Amino acid sequence: MKVDTAASYMVSGARTTAAMRAETQAFGAMVSARAQDTQETTGGSDGQEALDFTRMTRQELFDWMNEQLRSGKMSFDESAPFLGMTLKISAETGEPVDMATDNSRIDFTEKARQGIEFYELHFDQASADALQAALEKMLDA
């Protein structure tokens, strides 16, 4: 076996500490600017009105969930129960109902409570716990 002590072929050349620091600062400035843009378009957390999860459309819940994901306030795993609550299948066609055209208002807190009860009755504690965490997130929002 031959061990090569030369520089790795993947590194095209030496990079100075100053160049790496400049790139890091530029990236940090870009992230800060994007976060500022997000706060301006969403109204920030200070001027934001309280959300009413008891009278919300599926599209509104989906948009809120996506904003929570984008801002880092919710992980992908935490979003799964919310995503499940936004799904609707037509009983007549068996096809998904487009949430952009569905204006029906739903009490998502009650929907979560019913889901928790269902999963507990069917001994699926992991799903019940996920919905309980989602319900707590809705009540804290």
Side-chain angles (χ1 to χ4, degrees):
M1 181 167 106
K2 180 180 174 184
V3 176
D4 189 7
T5 59
S8 170
Y9 67 89
M10 295 181 73
V11 178
S12 60
R15 295 177 62 194
T16 66
T17 305
M20 291 188 321
R21 188 176 304 124
E23 288 175 5
T24 303
Q25 289 172 347
F27 179 74
M30 181 185 73
V31 170
S32 295
R34 188 164 279 196
Q36 181 64 31
D37 290 345
T38 301
Q39 285 181 344
E40 288 172 2
T41 57
T42 61
S45 59
D46 297 336
Q48 203 171 30
E49 61 184 60
L51 295 170
D52 184 9
F53 289 96
T54 63
R55 289 194 35 81
M56 191 177 266
T57 65
R58 294 183 305 124
Q59 183 68 54
E60 290 170 341
L61 181 67
F62 187 79
D63 292 343
W64 174 82
M65 177 194 69
N66 274 336
E67 180 55 38
Q68 296 295 302
L69 285 167
R70 276 189 223 106
S71 66
K73 295 177 183 174
M74 182 187 300
S75 71
F76 183 73
D77 290 337
E78 292 172 321
S79 73
F82 293 104
L83 186 59
M85 287 188 274
T86 64
L87 299 177
K88 183 176 182 181
I89 306 295
S90 170
E92 296 172 358
T93 65
E95 297 292 320
V97 177
D98 184 19
M99 72 176 82
T101 59
D102 183 17
N103 294 324
S104 56
R105 299 254 172 216
I106 301 167
D107 183 349
F108 287 104
T109 59
E110 183 58 29
K111 194 170 189 172
R113 286 183 184 103
Q114 290 172 354
I116 292 166
E117 183 178 334
F118 172 84
Y119 286 124
E120 286 176 343
L121 288 173
H122 291 85
F123 305 104
D124 186 350
Q125 197 57 45
S127 296
D129 291 344
L131 271 175
Q132 182 64 44
L135 178 61
E136 290 170 8
K137 196 168 232 5
M138 284 189 278
L139 296 175
D140 290 340

